[in-house]
Amino acid sequence: MSLSGALNTALTGLGAASRAAGVVSNNLANALTEGYGPREVALSARAGSGGVRIDGVVRNTDDALIGDRRQAAAALGDAGARARFLSEVEAAIGLPGAPGSLSSRLAAFESALVYASAQPASNVRLDGVADSARRLADGLEAASDRVQDLRGRADAAIDRMVGELRLGLDQVADLNGRIATARARGQETASLVDQRQQVLDRIDEIVPLRQMPRPGGQIALVSTGGALLLDGRPAQLDFTPTRVITADMRVETGLLGTVTLNGRAIDMRDGSLAGGALSGTAEVRDELAVKAQSGLDALALDLVERFQTPAVDPTLAPGDAGLFTDGGIAFTVGAETGLAGRIALNPDADPAQGGESWRLRDGLYAATPGPVGHGTLLVAMTSALAEPRPDASGHFGPGARAAKDIGAALLSDIGMQRQNAEARESFATARLDALTEAELTRGVDTDAELQRLLLVEQLYNANARMIRVVDEMLGALTRL
């Protein structure tokens, strides 16, 4: 090898060592940065002139593992939305025996009736019946309001997620263009690919995505349900939120908004955008909340019908409201939806509304108070509350149940749904943790990077020494 060839080889070696040191430093600095792919310098031998050529910086990632981890994150977003909602509804209904729970209010109402029937002349005990009945109605109304509030929050969350998804697709499209331009100019694209992966990680929790390679380092995005979201230009996603949601509003009747993809309505629960936080939140708004409201309405209807009959209170005429009313008037068939949010104690028997509690003893529509020791009506109300009767709404299936059993069935149904949702959430969390851990093991290994840095230092010293030797030899030749 000639002296000029040796010098050229050493100089290219110094350049490669310097570049490798920079890459190692960058890897160490970003060891904990999400979405960062470890880099290494790609080298090859220079033919003819000798030395080493820097072919570029290679970004090392396991795309299959990243895809699996993203799918797990989307599944967790879906399961988490359901589990959080059901937990909130269960808390609104209340656990058995908990102060303020529906079961406790039902038990308190029944106890108040028994207590008053033992001494019907006591106005204090009659007032206690009215108070416990009002608290029971208030508890149902509060639970119903909570369900509709959660539906409203779900609707707002859908709007927010669609906005984030739209922004994310725009960002990926922009990064695609920048990556293609950088490649055409021979520039490095690893940092741009890192940024793109961070965007994908963020939006993939909303809708699970699959990416397909395109020329120039670009990618196309398709949901796992088959919706093309990005291929050159991003798809147009829109959603119109509903400011106030009531119990009677359904997406099927057009009263609630749905996501549109390029102008076409998409089923968010089971359609091409299913599988992530968006579909889980849509199921909360359009299915789980509707079912929870139906259960509350079934309990409210049962209470209304138990006391809206002359068999219990002979003073009731056809069309009269019973002890529990639909917003102060008699319940009419077909108006069950949202009844839990309207149920109220008959104002004629509610001292808090200017009524008189003696009507609980003598009849809601009695003209005058009757004998103070006459507790037949109170006993009839107690029996009506405890009497097994079919579920008029059909929500809880066949079979006869007492009022407290319907309340227990409602809580049991919500509790079972919550447990199932939390089991799915736990499984999704464990899977995501395992895949994240596996991805981290393929990330930046700081020990290996430090070892590589020592090797780079040795290579740098060796090439520097070669340059010094060549310089000494050239000096010796010039002195001859």
Side-chain angles (χ1 to χ4, degrees), residues 178-237:
R178 293 166 62 187
I179 289 170
T181 301
R183 280 201 175 189
R185 294 175 177 173
Q187 300 172 344
E188 291 182 15
T189 61
S191 61
L192 293 173
V193 175
D194 282 344
Q195 293 178 44
R196 187 173 66 187
Q197 177 166 313
Q198 291 170 0
V199 175
L200 291 174
D201 287 346
R202 186 176 71 248
I203 64 176
D204 195 87
E205 182 180 348
I206 300 172
V207 175
L209 303 171
R210 297 190 187 280
Q211 63 184 59
M212 300 181 294
R214 290 292 184 265
Q218 301 184 77
I219 60 172
L221 296 176
V222 180
S223 73
T224 56
L228 180 61
L229 299 178
L230 173 69
D231 195 0
R233 297 179 62 182
Q236 182 61 42
L237 287 163

Short mmCIF file of all heavy atoms in Angstrom, two decimals, residues 178-237:
data_model
loop_
_atom_site.label_atom_id
_atom_site.label_comp_id
_atom_site.label_asym_id
_atom_site.label_seq_id
_atom_site.Cartn_x
_atom_site.Cartn_y
_atom_site.Cartn_z
N ARG A 178 -42.08 15.10 3.71
CA ARG A 178 -40.74 15.53 4.12
C ARG A 178 -39.74 14.38 4.03
O ARG A 178 -38.57 14.58 3.67
CB ARG A 178 -40.79 16.09 5.54
CG ARG A 178 -41.58 17.40 5.63
CD ARG A 178 -41.92 17.77 7.07
NE ARG A 178 -40.72 17.99 7.87
CZ ARG A 178 -40.74 18.19 9.18
NH1 ARG A 178 -41.90 18.20 9.82
NH2 ARG A 178 -39.62 18.40 9.84
N ILE A 179 -40.19 13.16 4.37
CA ILE A 179 -39.31 11.99 4.28
C ILE A 179 -38.95 11.72 2.82
O ILE A 179 -37.79 11.45 2.48
CB ILE A 179 -39.98 10.77 4.92
CG1 ILE A 179 -40.03 10.93 6.44
CG2 ILE A 179 -39.24 9.48 4.55
CD1 ILE A 179 -40.89 9.90 7.16
N ALA A 180 -39.95 11.78 1.93
CA ALA A 180 -39.68 11.54 0.51
C ALA A 180 -38.72 12.58 -0.06
O ALA A 180 -37.80 12.24 -0.83
CB ALA A 180 -41.00 11.55 -0.26
N THR A 181 -38.89 13.84 0.32
CA THR A 181 -38.00 14.90 -0.15
C THR A 181 -36.59 14.70 0.36
O THR A 181 -35.60 14.85 -0.39
CB THR A 181 -38.54 16.27 0.29
OG1 THR A 181 -39.85 16.47 -0.23
CG2 THR A 181 -37.62 17.38 -0.18
N ALA A 182 -36.45 14.35 1.65
CA ALA A 182 -35.13 14.14 2.24
C ALA A 182 -34.41 12.97 1.57
O ALA A 182 -33.20 13.04 1.29
CB ALA A 182 -35.25 13.90 3.74
N ARG A 183 -35.14 11.92 1.28
CA ARG A 183 -34.52 10.77 0.61
C ARG A 183 -34.05 11.15 -0.79
O ARG A 183 -32.98 10.73 -1.23
CB ARG A 183 -35.51 9.61 0.53
CG ARG A 183 -35.63 8.82 1.81
CD ARG A 183 -36.20 7.45 1.52
NE ARG A 183 -36.22 6.61 2.70
CZ ARG A 183 -36.51 5.31 2.68
NH1 ARG A 183 -36.83 4.73 1.52
NH2 ARG A 183 -36.49 4.60 3.77
N ALA A 184 -34.86 11.92 -1.49
CA ALA A 184 -34.49 12.31 -2.84
C ALA A 184 -33.22 13.16 -2.84
O ALA A 184 -32.44 13.14 -3.79
CB ALA A 184 -35.63 13.07 -3.50
N ARG A 185 -32.99 13.89 -1.77
CA ARG A 185 -31.80 14.73 -1.65
C ARG A 185 -30.62 14.01 -1.03
O ARG A 185 -29.56 14.60 -0.82
CB ARG A 185 -32.13 15.97 -0.82
CG ARG A 185 -33.14 16.90 -1.48
CD ARG A 185 -33.53 18.03 -0.55
NE ARG A 185 -34.45 18.97 -1.20
CZ ARG A 185 -35.04 19.98 -0.56
NH1 ARG A 185 -34.80 20.17 0.74
NH2 ARG A 185 -35.86 20.78 -1.22
N GLY A 186 -30.82 12.74 -0.66
CA GLY A 186 -29.75 11.98 -0.04
C GLY A 186 -29.53 12.30 1.42
O GLY A 186 -28.48 11.99 1.99
N GLN A 187 -30.51 12.90 2.05
CA GLN A 187 -30.40 13.27 3.47
C GLN A 187 -30.95 12.15 4.36
O GLN A 187 -31.72 11.29 3.92
CB GLN A 187 -31.17 14.57 3.73
CG GLN A 187 -30.69 15.75 2.92
CD GLN A 187 -31.60 16.96 3.05
OE1 GLN A 187 -32.73 16.84 3.50
NE2 GLN A 187 -31.10 18.12 2.66
N GLU A 188 -30.54 12.20 5.63
CA GLU A 188 -31.02 11.21 6.59
C GLU A 188 -32.49 11.48 6.93
O GLU A 188 -32.93 12.63 7.00
CB GLU A 188 -30.19 11.23 7.87
CG GLU A 188 -28.77 10.73 7.68
CD GLU A 188 -28.01 10.74 8.99
OE1 GLU A 188 -28.65 10.85 10.05
OE2 GLU A 188 -26.77 10.64 8.95
N THR A 189 -33.24 10.40 7.17
CA THR A 189 -34.68 10.52 7.47
C THR A 189 -35.06 9.89 8.80
O THR A 189 -36.23 9.86 9.15
CB THR A 189 -35.50 9.86 6.36
OG1 THR A 189 -35.16 8.46 6.27
CG2 THR A 189 -35.23 10.51 5.00
N ALA A 190 -34.05 9.38 9.55
CA ALA A 190 -34.38 8.63 10.77
C ALA A 190 -35.16 9.47 11.77
O ALA A 190 -36.12 9.00 12.38
CB ALA A 190 -33.10 8.10 11.42
N SER A 191 -34.77 10.74 11.95
CA SER A 191 -35.47 11.58 12.93
C SER A 191 -36.91 11.85 12.48
O SER A 191 -37.83 11.91 13.31
CB SER A 191 -34.72 12.89 13.13
OG SER A 191 -34.64 13.62 11.91
N LEU A 192 -37.12 12.01 11.17
CA LEU A 192 -38.47 12.21 10.66
C LEU A 192 -39.32 10.96 10.85
O LEU A 192 -40.52 11.05 11.19
CB LEU A 192 -38.42 12.60 9.18
CG LEU A 192 -37.81 13.96 8.85
CD1 LEU A 192 -37.66 14.13 7.34
CD2 LEU A 192 -38.64 15.09 9.44
N VAL A 193 -38.71 9.79 10.65
CA VAL A 193 -39.44 8.53 10.86
C VAL A 193 -39.81 8.38 12.34
O VAL A 193 -40.89 7.90 12.68
CB VAL A 193 -38.60 7.34 10.38
CG1 VAL A 193 -39.30 6.02 10.71
CG2 VAL A 193 -38.37 7.43 8.87
N ASP A 194 -38.89 8.82 13.24
CA ASP A 194 -39.21 8.79 14.67
C ASP A 194 -40.44 9.66 14.96
O ASP A 194 -41.34 9.25 15.71
CB ASP A 194 -38.02 9.33 15.48
CG ASP A 194 -36.93 8.29 15.64
OD1 ASP A 194 -37.19 7.10 15.40
OD2 ASP A 194 -35.80 8.67 16.00
N GLN A 195 -40.47 10.86 14.39
CA GLN A 195 -41.62 11.75 14.61
C GLN A 195 -42.90 11.10 14.09
O GLN A 195 -43.96 11.19 14.72
CB GLN A 195 -41.39 13.08 13.91
CG GLN A 195 -40.25 13.90 14.49
CD GLN A 195 -40.03 15.18 13.71
OE1 GLN A 195 -40.98 15.88 13.36
NE2 GLN A 195 -38.79 15.51 13.44
N ARG A 196 -42.81 10.46 12.95
CA ARG A 196 -43.99 9.81 12.38
C ARG A 196 -44.48 8.68 13.26
O ARG A 196 -45.68 8.50 13.46
CB ARG A 196 -43.68 9.31 10.97
CG ARG A 196 -44.90 8.79 10.23
CD ARG A 196 -44.55 8.47 8.79
NE ARG A 196 -43.62 7.36 8.67
CZ ARG A 196 -43.05 6.97 7.54
NH1 ARG A 196 -43.32 7.62 6.41
NH2 ARG A 196 -42.21 5.95 7.51
N GLN A 197 -43.54 7.94 13.83
CA GLN A 197 -43.94 6.83 14.70
C GLN A 197 -44.61 7.37 15.96
O GLN A 197 -45.58 6.77 16.45
CB GLN A 197 -42.73 5.98 15.09
CG GLN A 197 -43.09 4.85 16.06
CD GLN A 197 -42.00 3.81 16.19
OE1 GLN A 197 -41.46 3.36 15.20
NE2 GLN A 197 -41.68 3.45 17.43
N GLN A 198 -44.13 8.48 16.49
CA GLN A 198 -44.76 9.05 17.67
C GLN A 198 -46.20 9.48 17.38
O GLN A 198 -47.10 9.29 18.20
CB GLN A 198 -43.94 10.25 18.16
CG GLN A 198 -42.58 9.88 18.75
CD GLN A 198 -41.71 11.07 18.99
OE1 GLN A 198 -42.09 12.21 18.73
NE2 GLN A 198 -40.50 10.84 19.49
N VAL A 199 -46.43 10.04 16.20
CA VAL A 199 -47.79 10.42 15.81
C VAL A 199 -48.66 9.17 15.67
O VAL A 199 -49.81 9.14 16.15
CB VAL A 199 -47.78 11.21 14.48
CG1 VAL A 199 -49.21 11.49 14.02
CG2 VAL A 199 -47.02 12.51 14.65
N LEU A 200 -48.14 8.13 15.05
CA LEU A 200 -48.90 6.90 14.87
C LEU A 200 -49.23 6.25 16.21
O LEU A 200 -50.33 5.73 16.40
CB LEU A 200 -48.11 5.92 14.00
CG LEU A 200 -47.97 6.31 12.52
CD1 LEU A 200 -47.04 5.33 11.81
CD2 LEU A 200 -49.32 6.35 11.84
N ASP A 201 -48.29 6.29 17.14
CA ASP A 201 -48.55 5.73 18.46
C ASP A 201 -49.69 6.47 19.14
O ASP A 201 -50.48 5.86 19.88
CB ASP A 201 -47.29 5.83 19.33
CG ASP A 201 -46.21 4.83 18.92
OD1 ASP A 201 -46.53 3.90 18.15
OD2 ASP A 201 -45.06 4.98 19.36
N ARG A 202 -49.78 7.77 18.89
CA ARG A 202 -50.83 8.57 19.55
C ARG A 202 -52.21 8.29 18.96
O ARG A 202 -53.18 8.14 19.70
CB ARG A 202 -50.48 10.05 19.42
CG ARG A 202 -51.43 10.97 20.19
CD ARG A 202 -50.99 12.41 20.13
NE ARG A 202 -51.17 13.00 18.81
CZ ARG A 202 -50.18 13.36 18.01
NH1 ARG A 202 -48.92 13.17 18.38
NH2 ARG A 202 -50.42 13.89 16.83
N ILE A 203 -52.31 8.20 17.65
CA ILE A 203 -53.63 8.04 17.03
C ILE A 203 -54.05 6.59 16.94
O ILE A 203 -55.23 6.30 16.77
CB ILE A 203 -53.68 8.69 15.64
CG1 ILE A 203 -52.72 7.99 14.67
CG2 ILE A 203 -53.36 10.17 15.74
CD1 ILE A 203 -52.81 8.54 13.25
N ASP A 204 -53.10 5.66 17.08
CA ASP A 204 -53.45 4.25 16.96
C ASP A 204 -54.31 3.79 18.12
O ASP A 204 -55.07 2.83 18.00
CB ASP A 204 -52.19 3.39 16.87
CG ASP A 204 -52.48 1.98 16.39
OD1 ASP A 204 -52.51 1.76 15.17
OD2 ASP A 204 -52.70 1.10 17.24
N GLU A 205 -54.21 4.45 19.27
CA GLU A 205 -55.08 4.10 20.40
C GLU A 205 -56.53 4.45 20.10
O GLU A 205 -57.45 3.81 20.62
CB GLU A 205 -54.62 4.83 21.66
CG GLU A 205 -55.43 4.48 22.91
CD GLU A 205 -54.97 5.22 24.15
OE1 GLU A 205 -53.88 5.83 24.10
OE2 GLU A 205 -55.70 5.20 25.15
N ILE A 206 -56.74 5.45 19.24
CA ILE A 206 -58.09 5.87 18.89
C ILE A 206 -58.71 4.89 17.90
O ILE A 206 -59.84 4.42 18.09
CB ILE A 206 -58.06 7.29 18.29
CG1 ILE A 206 -57.49 8.28 19.32
CG2 ILE A 206 -59.46 7.72 17.85
CD1 ILE A 206 -57.26 9.66 18.75
N VAL A 207 -57.99 4.59 16.84
CA VAL A 207 -58.42 3.63 15.82
C VAL A 207 -57.23 2.75 15.47
O VAL A 207 -56.18 3.27 15.09
CB VAL A 207 -58.93 4.34 14.54
CG1 VAL A 207 -59.25 3.31 13.46
CG2 VAL A 207 -60.16 5.17 14.85
N PRO A 208 -57.33 1.43 15.62
CA PRO A 208 -56.19 0.56 15.28
C PRO A 208 -55.87 0.64 13.79
O PRO A 208 -56.76 0.55 12.95
CB PRO A 208 -56.67 -0.84 15.69
CG PRO A 208 -58.17 -0.76 15.70
CD PRO A 208 -58.50 0.65 16.07
N LEU A 209 -54.57 0.79 13.48
CA LEU A 209 -54.15 1.04 12.11
C LEU A 209 -53.15 -0.01 11.64
O LEU A 209 -52.42 -0.61 12.44
CB LEU A 209 -53.49 2.42 12.01
CG LEU A 209 -54.33 3.63 12.45
CD1 LEU A 209 -53.45 4.87 12.49
CD2 LEU A 209 -55.51 3.83 11.52
N ARG A 210 -53.14 -0.20 10.35
CA ARG A 210 -52.09 -0.97 9.68
C ARG A 210 -51.43 -0.05 8.67
O ARG A 210 -52.11 0.69 7.98
CB ARG A 210 -52.66 -2.20 8.99
CG ARG A 210 -53.31 -3.20 9.94
CD ARG A 210 -53.63 -4.51 9.22
NE ARG A 210 -54.39 -5.40 10.07
CZ ARG A 210 -53.88 -6.17 11.02
NH1 ARG A 210 -52.56 -6.14 11.23
NH2 ARG A 210 -54.64 -6.95 11.74
N GLN A 211 -50.10 -0.12 8.61
CA GLN A 211 -49.40 0.74 7.66
C GLN A 211 -48.83 -0.09 6.51
O GLN A 211 -48.40 -1.22 6.70
CB GLN A 211 -48.29 1.53 8.35
CG GLN A 211 -47.17 0.71 8.95
CD GLN A 211 -46.17 1.59 9.68
OE1 GLN A 211 -46.53 2.30 10.62
NE2 GLN A 211 -44.93 1.57 9.25
N MET A 212 -48.87 0.50 5.32
CA MET A 212 -48.38 -0.17 4.12
C MET A 212 -47.32 0.72 3.49
O MET A 212 -47.49 1.95 3.41
CB MET A 212 -49.52 -0.40 3.14
CG MET A 212 -50.63 -1.28 3.70
SD MET A 212 -51.96 -1.57 2.52
CE MET A 212 -52.63 0.08 2.35
N PRO A 213 -46.19 0.12 3.06
CA PRO A 213 -45.10 0.93 2.50
C PRO A 213 -45.48 1.54 1.16
O PRO A 213 -46.22 0.96 0.37
CB PRO A 213 -43.96 -0.08 2.35
CG PRO A 213 -44.63 -1.41 2.24
CD PRO A 213 -45.87 -1.31 3.08
N ARG A 214 -44.96 2.73 0.93
CA ARG A 214 -45.12 3.42 -0.33
C ARG A 214 -43.75 3.94 -0.77
O ARG A 214 -42.83 4.07 0.04
CB ARG A 214 -46.12 4.59 -0.19
CG ARG A 214 -47.56 4.14 0.00
CD ARG A 214 -48.10 3.49 -1.26
NE ARG A 214 -49.51 3.13 -1.15
CZ ARG A 214 -49.96 1.94 -0.80
NH1 ARG A 214 -49.09 0.97 -0.48
NH2 ARG A 214 -51.25 1.68 -0.77
N PRO A 215 -43.55 4.23 -2.06
CA PRO A 215 -42.23 4.69 -2.53
C PRO A 215 -41.74 5.91 -1.78
O PRO A 215 -42.52 6.74 -1.30
CB PRO A 215 -42.50 5.02 -4.00
CG PRO A 215 -43.68 4.18 -4.38
CD PRO A 215 -44.53 4.12 -3.16
N GLY A 216 -40.41 6.01 -1.67
CA GLY A 216 -39.80 7.16 -1.02
C GLY A 216 -39.88 7.16 0.48
O GLY A 216 -39.73 8.20 1.11
N GLY A 217 -40.10 5.98 1.09
CA GLY A 217 -40.19 5.91 2.54
C GLY A 217 -41.53 6.34 3.10
O GLY A 217 -41.70 6.43 4.32
N GLN A 218 -42.50 6.62 2.24
CA GLN A 218 -43.82 7.02 2.70
C GLN A 218 -44.63 5.79 3.10
O GLN A 218 -44.26 4.65 2.80
CB GLN A 218 -44.54 7.80 1.60
CG GLN A 218 -43.82 9.05 1.15
CD GLN A 218 -44.60 9.84 0.14
OE1 GLN A 218 -45.55 10.54 0.48
NE2 GLN A 218 -44.23 9.71 -1.13
N ILE A 219 -45.74 6.02 3.78
CA ILE A 219 -46.63 4.93 4.19
C ILE A 219 -48.08 5.31 3.91
O ILE A 219 -48.42 6.49 3.86
CB ILE A 219 -46.47 4.58 5.69
CG1 ILE A 219 -46.80 5.80 6.56
CG2 ILE A 219 -45.10 4.01 5.99
CD1 ILE A 219 -46.87 5.49 8.05
N ALA A 220 -48.91 4.29 3.73
CA ALA A 220 -50.35 4.46 3.68
C ALA A 220 -50.93 3.85 4.96
O ALA A 220 -50.33 2.94 5.55
CB ALA A 220 -50.94 3.78 2.45
N LEU A 221 -52.06 4.36 5.41
CA LEU A 221 -52.68 3.88 6.64
C LEU A 221 -54.09 3.37 6.36
O LEU A 221 -54.90 4.05 5.72
CB LEU A 221 -52.75 5.01 7.68
CG LEU A 221 -51.41 5.55 8.18
CD1 LEU A 221 -51.65 6.72 9.13
CD2 LEU A 221 -50.61 4.45 8.87
N VAL A 222 -54.34 2.17 6.86
CA VAL A 222 -55.66 1.53 6.73
C VAL A 222 -56.06 1.04 8.11
O VAL A 222 -55.25 0.45 8.83
CB VAL A 222 -55.62 0.35 5.74
CG1 VAL A 222 -56.99 -0.29 5.62
CG2 VAL A 222 -55.14 0.82 4.37
N SER A 223 -57.31 1.28 8.51
CA SER A 223 -57.78 0.75 9.79
C SER A 223 -57.89 -0.76 9.69
O SER A 223 -58.02 -1.33 8.59
CB SER A 223 -59.13 1.36 10.15
OG SER A 223 -60.16 0.81 9.33
N THR A 224 -57.83 -1.43 10.82
CA THR A 224 -57.96 -2.89 10.81
C THR A 224 -59.33 -3.32 10.33
O THR A 224 -59.52 -4.48 9.94
CB THR A 224 -57.69 -3.46 12.21
OG1 THR A 224 -58.58 -2.83 13.16
CG2 THR A 224 -56.26 -3.21 12.65
N GLY A 225 -60.29 -2.40 10.33
CA GLY A 225 -61.62 -2.69 9.81
C GLY A 225 -61.74 -2.45 8.32
O GLY A 225 -62.80 -2.69 7.73
N GLY A 226 -60.65 -1.96 7.68
CA GLY A 226 -60.65 -1.84 6.23
C GLY A 226 -60.85 -0.44 5.68
O GLY A 226 -60.95 -0.27 4.47
N ALA A 227 -60.90 0.59 6.53
CA ALA A 227 -61.10 1.96 6.03
C ALA A 227 -59.76 2.57 5.64
O ALA A 227 -58.81 2.58 6.43
CB ALA A 227 -61.77 2.82 7.10
N LEU A 228 -59.66 3.06 4.41
CA LEU A 228 -58.45 3.71 3.94
C LEU A 228 -58.42 5.14 4.49
O LEU A 228 -59.24 5.98 4.12
CB LEU A 228 -58.42 3.74 2.41
CG LEU A 228 -57.18 4.40 1.77
CD1 LEU A 228 -55.92 3.65 2.17
CD2 LEU A 228 -57.33 4.45 0.26
N LEU A 229 -57.47 5.40 5.38
CA LEU A 229 -57.41 6.70 6.06
C LEU A 229 -56.35 7.63 5.49
O LEU A 229 -56.45 8.85 5.63
CB LEU A 229 -57.16 6.49 7.56
CG LEU A 229 -58.25 5.70 8.30
CD1 LEU A 229 -57.85 5.51 9.76
CD2 LEU A 229 -59.59 6.38 8.20
N LEU A 230 -55.33 7.04 4.86
CA LEU A 230 -54.27 7.87 4.30
C LEU A 230 -53.57 7.11 3.19
O LEU A 230 -53.09 6.00 3.40
CB LEU A 230 -53.25 8.26 5.38
CG LEU A 230 -52.00 9.00 4.91
CD1 LEU A 230 -52.35 10.39 4.41
CD2 LEU A 230 -50.96 9.08 6.03
N ASP A 231 -53.52 7.70 2.04
CA ASP A 231 -52.73 7.18 0.92
C ASP A 231 -52.42 8.37 0.02
O ASP A 231 -53.15 8.69 -0.90
CB ASP A 231 -53.48 6.09 0.15
CG ASP A 231 -52.53 5.29 -0.75
OD1 ASP A 231 -51.32 5.61 -0.76
OD2 ASP A 231 -53.00 4.36 -1.44
N GLY A 232 -51.33 9.03 0.37
CA GLY A 232 -51.02 10.29 -0.28
C GLY A 232 -51.69 11.43 0.45
O GLY A 232 -51.05 12.22 1.14
N ARG A 233 -53.00 11.53 0.34
CA ARG A 233 -53.77 12.54 1.05
C ARG A 233 -54.62 11.87 2.13
O ARG A 233 -55.12 10.75 1.94
CB ARG A 233 -54.68 13.29 0.08
CG ARG A 233 -53.93 14.07 -1.00
CD ARG A 233 -54.87 14.77 -1.93
NE ARG A 233 -55.70 15.75 -1.22
CZ ARG A 233 -56.64 16.48 -1.80
NH1 ARG A 233 -56.92 16.29 -3.08
NH2 ARG A 233 -57.33 17.35 -1.09
N PRO A 234 -54.81 12.54 3.27
CA PRO A 234 -55.63 11.95 4.34
C PRO A 234 -57.11 11.97 4.00
O PRO A 234 -57.59 12.84 3.27
CB PRO A 234 -55.33 12.84 5.55
CG PRO A 234 -54.92 14.16 4.97
CD PRO A 234 -54.22 13.84 3.67
N ALA A 235 -57.83 10.98 4.52
CA ALA A 235 -59.28 10.94 4.35
C ALA A 235 -59.92 12.06 5.16
O ALA A 235 -59.35 12.56 6.14
CB ALA A 235 -59.83 9.59 4.79
N GLN A 236 -61.13 12.46 4.77
CA GLN A 236 -61.86 13.51 5.47
C GLN A 236 -62.75 12.89 6.54
O GLN A 236 -63.70 12.18 6.23
CB GLN A 236 -62.70 14.33 4.48
CG GLN A 236 -63.46 15.48 5.12
CD GLN A 236 -62.53 16.51 5.76
OE1 GLN A 236 -61.51 16.87 5.20
NE2 GLN A 236 -62.88 16.96 6.95
N LEU A 237 -62.44 13.17 7.79
CA LEU A 237 -63.22 12.66 8.92
C LEU A 237 -63.96 13.82 9.57
O LEU A 237 -63.38 14.88 9.84
CB LEU A 237 -62.29 12.00 9.94
CG LEU A 237 -61.70 10.65 9.56
CD1 LEU A 237 -60.52 10.31 10.45
CD2 LEU A 237 -62.75 9.55 9.66
#
